[in-house]
Amino acid sequence: MSKILSLRDVVSQIDSGIGLEATLSRLIQSACKHAGWTMGSIMAIDIQAGYGQVIVRHDPTLIAAELPDKWELGSSPSLVALKRNEPVCIRDVRLAEEFPGYMRDAMARDYRTVLVMPMNCNDASGRPMVLSVISRQIKDVAREELAFLGTIIHLGSIAVEREHRLKAQMHTNERLNRALSTHTQLMDHVLSDGSVSSLVDVVETLLHHSIIVVDFSDNQIIVGRSPDPALFNDADWQRIVPAQFGRHILRALQGAAPQQDGLANMLTLADPEHGASFSARIAPLFMDKKLSGAVLVFPVHNDLGDLDSLLLDSARFALSVQIMRNHARFRSETHALSELFRDLVEKRWRSESEISQRALHVGLNLQQPQQMIVIDFPGHSLMQAGTIADCKRILARISPAETEPAIIVGHLDRIVCLLSVVSEPRRSRMEALVDSLAVELARQLEKPPVVVLGAICTHLEDYAAIWLRCERLISIGQTFGLKGVLKVSDSSPLEMLVSALGATELRDYVSKSIGPIARHDLENGTDYLDTLASFLRAGCRSQPCADALGLHVSTLRYRLARINELFGIEIDSPEKRFDLELAIRLQMIARTI
């Protein structure tokens, strides 16, 4: 009856919901009081570290003194009790040479019998726990006493597990409450006209995971914090991802089949240079049931819990809305710019003041000179919004710091860049900028574009004339199959002729007239074509041509005779001279633009 009543007291002591440490403290007190032991302790066993950590201790006879809180497992019976999962009783610990640490402590604190029992529960860190009780006198422990003490420990382990569950439930409730408020918080951010980049920061704070957001509407990759700070800091990670993994990410996501619940299970980013790889969960973003982007989540523990998934769903919705708003705003701005540029090049404006005011509304100052650059993408029938955004980012990166942001316009399947000219521009400086733009666009799109550097638009009438000139140069480039930067020549009438003729007829004409000479020069290292061109420029006069070439007249005559012998070229009539000179000039246009 006494034992049963004492168990009731134990239950009342440890079932008060006062916290884990206080529960353990009451448990060891009850075990010592009702089972007749002098003192005791509860330890958490860290097997990997090789020591036992005292969590709570009960010693009513303890005078103020420092006692060790850690015990090496090699000198403690705790590990033996855990491995066997049964009590370990040392009748006289002063004689237990296999546990030298306990022998020394028993001598110092004057105790004899020690009983260590596994508790079949873990502490908050997941370490297994043991209970040890100590008697100052040698004590024989009967089977009934072990059963009684085991019952106390079992009741205590139930209370410990209950505390763990309660703590986990409280943590879950906190996260659930936070998840419920997340949706409102994210939408408030979206409705406050925030950017995708700032929204990524908010999402990362809420998810506690590193993320990357891909926006297909403008081919943008927004990189959050590093998933492995020990390998990359945030700045390095944000620099490396677009450069090293950007193309791989876009290809993998755009090539996957869009599904509401996910594109693919995982996407791995491998970095051979550092011998590391990063696995990300893919969460797609949709706009009008069409794939508009994705969120790559790098889970801390390689998995996402239910609450993480709930938070991620809210984040996906907010990001989709933000991308949709940005896309709608971008389309509106692009449409306004396109209409303005169309009216400029077609000279459809009622007055200069009216179109100047329209231009100011979209950020274009027509009172300031503008350098025109036209970009053509062979093989692309329609311009994509992402390509315009790429041009903006590239120009912002490669332009001098003092340069105002470029105005980017889509017109007739081409992109027009207008750069404000604040001071007198240097031709070489502008050509270097255009060369860099062509290289960056070719790398980004994997197809080399045609980039035409036009003249400076000073007056409203200049826009139509310069646009027409750029169109002619693009037509010439298409005729000759040229790509890259086209540099303007001074042969405006010939440019009109080339742009008016068909590509096949023009190439056939040039090939038939001077093609054999050009191929012979290329294969044999001769300069017959340049000699013939110089002779025609000199009006077919031998001495001026020889002087221009730095040759003797007899050497020049020998070359001309050799040209006639090899290629049957005769220049005895004005018609033949005109044919040759026209073919040479057309080829020069192809080489100089």
Side-chain angles (χ1 to χ4, degrees), residues 553-583:
V553 174
S554 58
T555 303
L556 173 64
R557 288 171 180 166
Y558 170 77
R559 287 189 181 180
L560 293 174
R562 185 65 174 159
I563 291 171
N564 187 19
E565 178 185 344
L566 291 174
F567 311 108
I569 299 295
E570 295 181 357
I571 52 176
D572 53 351
S573 68
E575 290 80 8
K576 291 182 178 179
R577 289 197 296 270
F578 176 79
D579 287 343
L580 288 171
E581 189 169 3
L582 179 59

Side-chain angles (χ1 to χ4, degrees), residues 336-581:
L337 273 170
S338 297
E339 285 191 339
L340 174 72
F341 188 78
R342 181 200 62 195
D343 292 347
L344 278 173
V345 297
E346 295 179 5
K347 297 183 179 180
R348 301 194 313 186
W349 64 83
R350 291 190 295 270
S351 66
E352 292 189 5
S353 60
E354 178 266 337
I355 198 165
S356 296
Q357 286 296 323
R358 283 177 56 195
L360 286 176
H361 281 299
V362 293
L364 177 61
N365 185 0
L366 295 179
Q367 305 303 318
Q368 189 170 312
Q370 303 286 337
Q371 174 79 59
M372 185 183 295
I373 300 171
V374 180
I375 307 168
D376 181 64
F377 299 87
H380 287 255
S381 60
L382 294 173
M383 283 310 310
Q384 298 177 354
T387 310
I388 295 178
D390 288 336
C391 288
K392 283 186 177 181
R393 285 195 295 272
I394 292 171
L395 277 172
R397 187 173 69 251
I398 66 177
S399 298
E402 68 277 5
T403 305
E404 294 185 15
I407 300 297
I408 312 294
V409 185
H411 184 63
L412 298 180
D413 291 342
R414 296 187 173 94
I415 291 179
V416 181
C417 305
L418 298 175
L419 298 172
S420 294
V421 180
V422 180
S423 58
E424 185 65 26
R426 296 181 182 178
R427 182 72 178 181
S428 59
R429 179 180 174 184
M430 192 59 66
E431 287 181 357
L433 178 67
V434 173
D435 288 339
S436 299
L437 176 61
V439 170
E440 291 291 335
L441 281 174
R443 182 184 297 115
Q444 186 83 13
L445 304 176
E446 299 182 351
K447 287 186 178 181
V450 175
V451 182
V452 177
L453 175 59
I456 296 176
C457 304
T458 305
H459 306 288
L460 286 180
E461 292 78 7
D462 295 341
Y463 288 89
I466 294 173
W467 165 256
L468 181 60
R469 184 79 181 276
C470 291
E471 281 278 273
R472 288 174 181 167
L473 291 177
I474 290 174
S475 177
I476 293 173
Q478 292 173 345
T479 299
F480 288 96
L482 302 177
K483 294 180 176 63
V485 178
L486 302 186
K487 297 181 180 179
V488 181
S489 69
D490 295 326
S491 305
S492 297
L494 282 178
E495 288 174 8
M496 295 175 63
L497 174 63
V498 171
S499 61
L501 291 175
T504 303
E505 293 82 356
L506 186 58
R507 283 196 297 269
D508 290 345
Y509 175 77
V510 174
S511 177
K512 182 178 179 181
S513 299
I514 59 174
I517 307 176
R519 288 191 293 272
H520 185 277
D521 285 346
L522 183 63
E523 295 170 359
N524 299 278
T526 55
D527 56 355
Y528 289 151
L529 187 58
D530 288 341
T531 300
L532 182 60
S534 298
F535 187 68
L536 292 171
R537 283 196 301 269
C540 298
R541 292 175 298 167
S542 299
Q543 189 62 54
C545 179
D547 293 339
L549 294 174
L551 301 175
H552 195 274
V553 174
S554 58
T555 303
L556 173 64
R557 288 171 180 166
Y558 170 77
R559 287 189 181 180
L560 293 174
R562 185 65 174 159
I563 291 171
N564 187 19
E565 178 185 344
L566 291 174
F567 311 108
I569 299 295
E570 295 181 357
I571 52 176
D572 53 351
S573 68
E575 290 80 8
K576 291 182 178 179
R577 289 197 296 270
F578 176 79
D579 287 343
L580 288 171
E581 189 169 3

Side-chain angles (χ1 to χ4, degrees), residues 86-193:
E86 60 184 26
V88 174
C89 183
I90 307 174
R91 189 171 185 274
D92 190 351
V93 74
R94 297 184 185 183
L95 304 177
E97 296 180 355
E98 66 271 29
F99 305 118
Y102 263 69
M103 286 181 62
R104 292 190 296 269
D105 191 60
M107 295 292 187
R109 297 174 59 197
D110 187 25
Y111 61 84
R112 306 299 288 267
T113 301
V114 173
L115 176 63
V116 180
M117 301 183 70
M119 293 184 63
N120 296 321
C121 62
N122 300 327
D123 71 346
S125 300
R127 299 174 297 183
M129 298 164 60
V130 297
L131 179 144
S132 63
V133 287
I134 297 171
S135 173
R136 293 199 182 278
Q137 293 80 32
I138 294 177
K139 183 174 182 177
D140 294 319
V141 182
R143 183 177 300 177
E144 291 80 3
E145 188 170 354
L146 284 176
F148 175 71
L149 196 56
T151 303
I152 293 177
I153 292 175
H154 181 67
L155 292 172
S157 65
I158 293 174
V160 169
E161 292 299 331
R162 185 204 60 192
E163 291 291 336
H164 289 332
R165 289 195 297 271
L166 181 60
K167 186 175 181 180
Q169 186 62 46
M170 291 176 62
H171 179 67
T172 301
N173 289 340
E174 290 176 1
R175 295 199 65 194
L176 183 59
N177 289 332
R178 185 162 56 89
L180 293 174
S181 64
T182 294
H183 188 78
T184 303
Q185 183 178 349
L186 290 173
M187 291 309 300
D188 285 344
H189 183 89
V190 171
L191 296 176
S192 65
D193 209 20

